[in-house]
Amino acid sequence: MKRLNRHDFPGAVYRDRVIQFGEGNFLRAFIDWQIDWLNQHQSTDAGIVVVRPRNREVSDSLNQQDGLYTTLIRGLNDQGESVSETRLIRSLNREIQPYQQFGDFMALAHNPDLRMVFSNTTEAGIVFDSSDRLTDQPANSFPGKLTQLLWARYCHFEGASDKGWLVVPCELIDHNGDTLRDRVLRYAEHWQLPAEFNRWINQHCAFYNTLVDRIVTGFPAESAQVEAALGYQDRYLVAGEVYYQFVIQGPSALFSELKLDALAPQVRHVDDIAPYKAQKVAILNGAHTAMVPVAFLAGLESVGEAMDDPAIAGFVDALLRDEVIPTLDLPANELHAFADAVQRRFRNPFIRHALLSIALNGMTKFRTRLLTPMLAAQQQSGEWPTCITFALAALIAFYRGESADKSWPLQDDAHWLQRYAEGWTALQADQISPEQLVRSILSDAQHWGEDLTQRPDLVAVVTRHLQNIIAHGMREALSQLR
């Protein structure tokens, strides 16, 4: 069986219009997949040049397949039906490794057709490194490399207004576009570049804030069967889920040039990305965080098993519909549609997501994902939300780390592990009460941003849930909620 290449598997070729910092699975199953669809269905004619942002020894590259690779998209569709679809991606033209091909890397700045820059260099990628120099070949950081290219482009085209770039970071940090622009301008100051370059950046380059969402599982375990069906070997085969969302805040030029409206509603152009970030954090991430301790203490091991369990699935649905969604600032029909999609994603039969694998740093996750909806729900109704407070009690119970018949690893900050170890030991020795344990957890103002024990009745509500869980077990305590 031949390895995938353009000679043996000929097809469409597109002109270089996009630079992509990052060769990883996510971008290839998200950005490159979308652009490939647009190229085919909207005649976008956008070819992608991938730049590897890090200096690592590479034994293989996308060039060995002439940029070709296959996506395997599978999961549950809007009707709840299991679907699986492969797509041969032709949008990616070649890969450049700037540490070994610095001349080719800098030549990108001189190409008049190149218009867009996408990136995913991880959350730690958009940083400023004071040791970077303009003369480095290349600069160490991603923003440093981008500034080198932008400066070279500015010089080559003499600051032409129509040669600015549309820069679209996909790193999972708040205000990613604004942050990346600030880093570029900081490098311009650090390298003492002229003020005219700064004006060109601010006036003729656009930096977009984005929110990206798709689970990409990478190279599938059953690759041999997939390759046999495809008729070729593909070392860059990548699997991902059906659902995807791309929310973009910034000028309309990106949408008109890539014809992104054709991908609506999965791709959205918005004036303010904040409500969509809140939606994802509270509904998608919040449901995960609430589910983990409840489902695990009920004897389950994976997200899929939890969603196949009527009691757990009903708990998650009630938490989202009755307690989280009313606190969010988007139209109710959109929020409920997103909740529907989240629960279909949790039921994806092609992904086995272990509960313990998403239990890492559960205390921080509860604070960042569910604390705001919990407080907002209480403010709206005057009563503490049943499911969210039950999830908090379940989390406290989970941090015991053991039950009568098993134990499990706990992964969190050292001070939380110590506080829970001491608290549960004291509780089991009848040295403190469940209420005192709850007070110990909720009183940590440094963690929660305030002393939650000062919130009327919160300690009492969480304590009642915890006592039920201790006395009757998770299943029985869950059944008593409604």
Side-chain angles (χ1 to χ4, degrees):
M1 190 184 298
K2 294 181 178 178
R3 186 172 179 181
L4 188 58
N5 65 85
R6 290 187 186 268
H7 177 268
D8 294 314
F9 303 91
V13 178
Y14 307 103
R15 64 188 172 121
D16 292 349
R17 293 190 62 210
V18 177
I19 300 172
Q20 177 176 298
F21 282 87
E23 76 291 343
N25 291 328
F26 179 79
L27 285 179
R28 290 191 291 110
F30 188 76
I31 293 296
D32 303 348
W33 177 85
Q34 292 179 61
I35 291 177
D36 194 82
W37 189 93
L38 292 166
N39 284 339
Q40 179 182 355
H41 296 283
Q42 299 294 314
S43 302
T44 301
D45 190 24
I48 301 164
V49 180
V50 167
V51 174
R52 286 201 181 231
R54 296 174 186 81
N55 186 17
R56 293 177 178 171
E57 186 175 341
V58 178
S59 59
D60 200 4
S61 83
L62 289 158
N63 293 330
Q64 292 179 290
Q65 293 186 176
D66 300 324
L68 298 179
Y69 66 94
T70 312
T71 55
L72 174 61
I73 303 301
R74 53 193 183 171
L76 302 182
N77 63 16
D78 290 348
Q79 291 72 46
E81 303 163 333
S82 179
V83 296
S84 179
E85 178 183 282
T86 58
R87 182 177 189 85
L88 177 54
I89 304 299
R90 297 185 177 277
S91 58
L92 201 157
N93 289 341
R94 67 189 185 281
E95 177 184 316
I96 292 175
Q97 299 175 27
Y99 292 88
Q100 291 76 37
Q101 301 168 279
F102 184 71
D104 293 339
F105 169 66
M106 293 304 296
L108 297 173
H110 302 165
N111 184 339
D113 291 332
L114 283 168
R115 174 66 168 150
M116 287 153 273
V117 178
F118 289 84
S119 70
N120 185 14
T121 58
T122 77
E123 294 89 324
I126 302 181
V127 297
F128 175 81
D129 184 345
S130 62
S131 68
D132 278 338
R133 299 291 180 266
L134 181 61
T135 54
D136 288 345
Q137 296 191 14
N140 178 58
S141 75
F142 157 52
K145 292 181 183 71
L146 179 59
T147 308
Q148 287 178 313
L149 285 180
L150 288 166
W151 170 244
R153 190 170 184 82
Y154 170 83
C155 295
H156 183 78
F157 292 106
E158 299 179 339
S161 61
D162 63 343
K163 293 300 185 291
W165 279 342
L166 310 177
V167 183
V168 192
C170 299
E171 288 81 359
L172 294 176
I173 63 172
D174 289 339
H175 312 292
N176 46 13
D178 294 338
T179 302
L180 181 54
R181 181 189 58 235
D182 290 346
R183 298 296 181 269
V184 167
L185 293 174
R186 188 174 176 185
Y187 272 110
E189 179 183 7
H190 184 59
W191 293 339
Q192 299 182 329
L193 301 180
E196 290 78 6
F197 173 65
N198 286 18
R199 282 194 289 271
W200 183 76
I201 292 291
N202 285 319
Q203 295 177 10
H204 303 302
C205 294
F207 289 77
Y208 293 80
N209 292 320
T210 69
L211 175 65
V212 300
D213 189 6
R214 171 175 256 173
I215 296 172
V216 176
T217 54
F219 196 78
E222 65 277 29
S223 58
Q225 300 95 300
V226 177
E227 289 177 331
L230 294 171
Y232 53 76
Q233 293 180 342
D234 184 355
R235 295 185 188 176
Y236 284 91
L237 176 66
V238 59
E241 66 172 336
V242 172
Y243 178 89
Y244 72 100
Q245 184 185 52
F246 195 13
V247 185
I248 305 170
Q249 176 187 317
S252 61
L254 181 70
F255 274 71
S256 60
E257 295 193 27
L258 275 182
K259 304 178 182 177
L260 285 172
D261 287 334
L263 292 173
Q266 288 84 0
V267 181
R268 294 174 177 269
H269 186 206
V270 302
D271 295 326
D272 182 7
I273 208 166
Y276 295 90
K277 176 68 180 293
Q279 171 187 254
K280 179 186 175 185
V281 169
I283 295 180
L284 172 63
N285 304 128
H288 258 159
T289 295
M291 174 197 298
V292 167
V294 175
F296 185 81
L297 294 178
L300 305 176
E301 294 186 356
S302 72
V303 171
E305 290 173 358
M307 295 307 293
D308 286 338
D309 186 298
I312 306 299
F315 168 77
V316 170
D317 190 68
L319 178 140
L320 295 180
R321 309 286 181 190
D322 301 338
E323 299 178 1
V324 172
I325 285 177
T327 70
L328 298 174
D329 189 23
L330 282 174
N333 62 323
E334 289 188 26
L335 292 165
H336 284 283
F338 187 75
D340 291 339
V342 162
Q343 293 179 77
R344 284 195 300 273
R345 297 169 75 185
F346 288 174
R347 291 186 171 94
N348 188 340
F350 299 101
I351 299 176
R352 189 182 188 282
H353 208 168
L355 295 171
L356 284 181
S357 74
I358 50 179
L360 175 69
N361 294 328
M363 293 300 294
T364 296
K365 287 176 178 176
F366 192 97
R367 184 194 72 224
T368 58
R369 300 171 176 184
L370 288 172
L371 178 61
T372 297
M374 184 179 77
L375 298 178
Q378 193 277 335
Q379 187 174 22
Q380 288 177 355
S381 68
E383 297 181 355
W384 290 106
T386 300
C387 293
I388 300 179
T389 53
F390 185 84
L392 178 55
L395 185 64
I396 295 172
F398 176 83
Y399 272 78
R400 179 180 174 183
E402 62 181 10
S403 63
D405 57 350
K406 67 177 179 179
S407 61
W408 52 91
L410 299 173
Q411 301 179 74
D412 211 313
D413 293 338
H415 83 276
W416 278 122
L417 298 180
Q418 181 178 355
R419 179 174 296 191
Y420 273 113
E422 294 173 351
W424 274 107
T425 297
L427 180 61
Q428 290 173 280
D430 292 328
Q431 295 171 348
I432 64 172
S433 66
E435 179 183 348
Q436 288 172 305
L437 176 60
V438 170
R439 283 189 176 278
S440 170
I441 303 304
L442 298 188
S443 64
D444 190 333
Q446 184 174 356
H447 175 79
W448 300 110
E450 61 174 285
D451 180 352
L452 290 177
T453 65
Q454 300 304 304
R455 294 273 182 166
D457 298 325
L458 179 58
V459 169
V461 169
V462 176
T463 300
R464 283 197 296 271
H465 290 317
L466 182 60
Q467 289 173 323
N468 264 349
I469 294 170
I470 294 171
H472 305 294
M474 180 56 69
R475 289 276 177 192
E476 179 61 25
L478 187 61
S479 72
Q480 295 177 16
L481 288 186
R482 296 183 180 276

